[in-house]
Amino acid sequence: MSLTFGTRDHAIEFPNSRPDLPPTLDGKVALTYRRDATFFSILKGKPLEDEEYMDCIKTKDGKTDVCYFRPS
């Protein structure tokens, strides 16, 4: 997946053939998480029914962190 914010492009890869491998963000190992769509607080656990959230991914070194709404 490719995301563009202003003039910055970010490449996100989720390894489909090797699900045991972590995703990457701009070629760096990354972690995925969710944020509340209204207050932007980090959410824990599985999504609740009708919960509005953003998918997020950040590099393990914390230098790049992006959130996005996934189309339904």
Side-chain angles (χ1 to χ4, degrees), residues 16-65:
N16 292 330
S17 62
R18 300 269 319 265
D20 56 321
L21 293 177
T24 60
L25 173 59
D26 297 335
K28 295 181 180 179
V29 175
L31 305 168
T32 59
Y33 66 100
R34 296 176 299 116
R35 285 189 181 269
D36 179 87
T38 303
F39 300 105
F40 307 119
S41 56
I42 294 175
L43 300 171
K44 304 285 184 186
K46 293 182 181 182
L48 302 174
E49 187 175 325
D50 297 329
E51 178 181 59
E52 289 191 30
Y53 64 90
M54 296 181 295
D55 288 306
C56 300
I57 187 167
K58 68 178 176 179
T59 56
K60 282 193 170 185
D61 64 11
K63 291 185 179 184
T64 307
D65 188 351

